[in-house]
């Protein structure tokens, strides 16, 4: 027989989910600050090396949304886990209730 037990602390997981969203916002702010600095670079540094650096950075920054979305997906996964555990709890309650009802009906039929 499988003696698996599963449980989560919903409050802590919800809190962690919000914390992860906060991290996503903070990383987005950091990316914006880097963008601002890189946009100012040609004002102070010009030439082929600057152009290459800017090109390299522009190729790199296209991944910023991917990074942010990946972080957000962790939060979404935590929320999905909470929902899944709640659904499983409801299923178990229904199974126990059905079993209880069946047992009561069998007892009643025996007693009649």
């Amino acid at each position: 027989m499988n003696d698996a037990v599963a449980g989560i602390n919903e409050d802590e997981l919800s809190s962690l989910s919000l914390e992860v969203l906060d991290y996503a916002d903070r990383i987005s702010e950091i990316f914006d600050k880097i963008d601002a600095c890189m946009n100012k670079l040609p004002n102070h540094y010009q030439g082929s090396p600057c152009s290459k650096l800017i090109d390299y950075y522009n190729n790199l920054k296209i991944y910023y949304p991917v990074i942010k979305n990946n972080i957000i997906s962790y939060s979404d996964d935590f929320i999905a886990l909470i929902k899944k555990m709640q659904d499983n709890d409801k299923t178990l309650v229904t199974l126990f209730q059905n079993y209880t009802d069946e047992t009561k009906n069998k007892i009643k039929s025996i007693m009649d």
Side-chain angles (χ1 to χ4, degrees), residues 14-110:
S14 292
S15 177
L16 181 59
S17 175
L18 293 174
E19 194 175 324
V20 168
L21 288 176
D22 184 50
Y23 289 138
D25 288 340
R26 288 169 45 191
I27 196 87
S28 187
E29 290 172 7
I30 291 169
F31 290 156
D32 289 343
K33 288 178 183 178
I34 294 170
D35 271 343
C37 289
M38 291 302 290
N39 289 335
K40 292 178 187 176
L41 187 61
N43 296 336
H44 307 287
Y45 180 55
Q46 295 178 358
S48 177
C50 180
S51 296
K52 286 181 182 180
L53 181 61
I54 297 293
D55 289 343
Y56 178 79
Y57 176 74
N58 286 333
N59 288 330
L60 180 67
K61 80 175 187 177
I62 62 173
Y63 297 105
Y64 286 177
V66 174
I67 294 167
K68 182 178 177 184
N69 288 335
N70 284 346
I71 294 170
I72 290 171
S73 76
Y74 298 140
S75 175
D76 294 343
D77 290 344
F78 294 144
I79 298 301
L81 175 60
I82 292 169
K83 174 86 171 96
K84 180 72 172 170
M85 293 299 289
Q86 288 172 343
D87 290 346
N88 286 343
D89 285 349
K90 289 176 187 174
T91 300
L92 287 174
V93 167
T94 301
L95 287 172
F96 278 112
Q97 187 62 48
N98 289 342
Y99 178 73
T100 302
D101 292 345
E102 283 180 32
T103 303
K104 286 180 182 178
N105 288 337
K106 284 182 183 178
I107 290 172
K108 184 178 178 186
S109 69
I110 292 172

